[in-house]
Amino acid sequence: MNQDKMALLVLDVQNGIIGNLGDKATGYIKRVQTAVDAAHAANLPVFFIVVRFRKGYPEVNPNNKM
């Protein structure tokens, strides 16, 4: 693999998502941290992606149960 074109994307690690994991959240967070630490050790860029919605959530389909 070409390390110049690699990065770690960390998505959906926010309270509204992680809260759905219940007892599994702590283990998940630890695994994410392990991945971030490994990427940093390998000098890979790490991007933390946060999704935001506009007021009234027009981007969300009304059939979305979340």
Side-chain angles (χ1 to χ4, degrees):
M1 281 190 245
N2 185 347
Q3 218 171 337
D4 292 339
K5 296 185 179 188
M6 293 174 60
L8 176 65
L9 301 179
V10 181
L11 305 135
D12 295 335
V13 182
Q14 54 206 38
N15 291 335
I17 302 295
I18 300 302
N20 293 326
L21 296 177
D23 295 342
K24 297 177 183 177
T26 301
Y28 177 76
I29 295 294
K30 287 179 183 179
R31 290 189 301 277
V32 169
Q33 186 63 58
T34 298
V36 169
D37 292 344
H40 285 154
N43 292 316
L44 294 175
V46 177
F47 297 93
F48 294 90
I49 310 301
V50 177
V51 175
R52 292 193 172 200
F53 298 107
R54 293 176 287 167
K55 187 175 180 176
Y57 306 103
E59 299 85 0
V60 179
N61 186 304
N63 294 322
N64 184 329
K65 299 199 185 311
M66 288 192 71

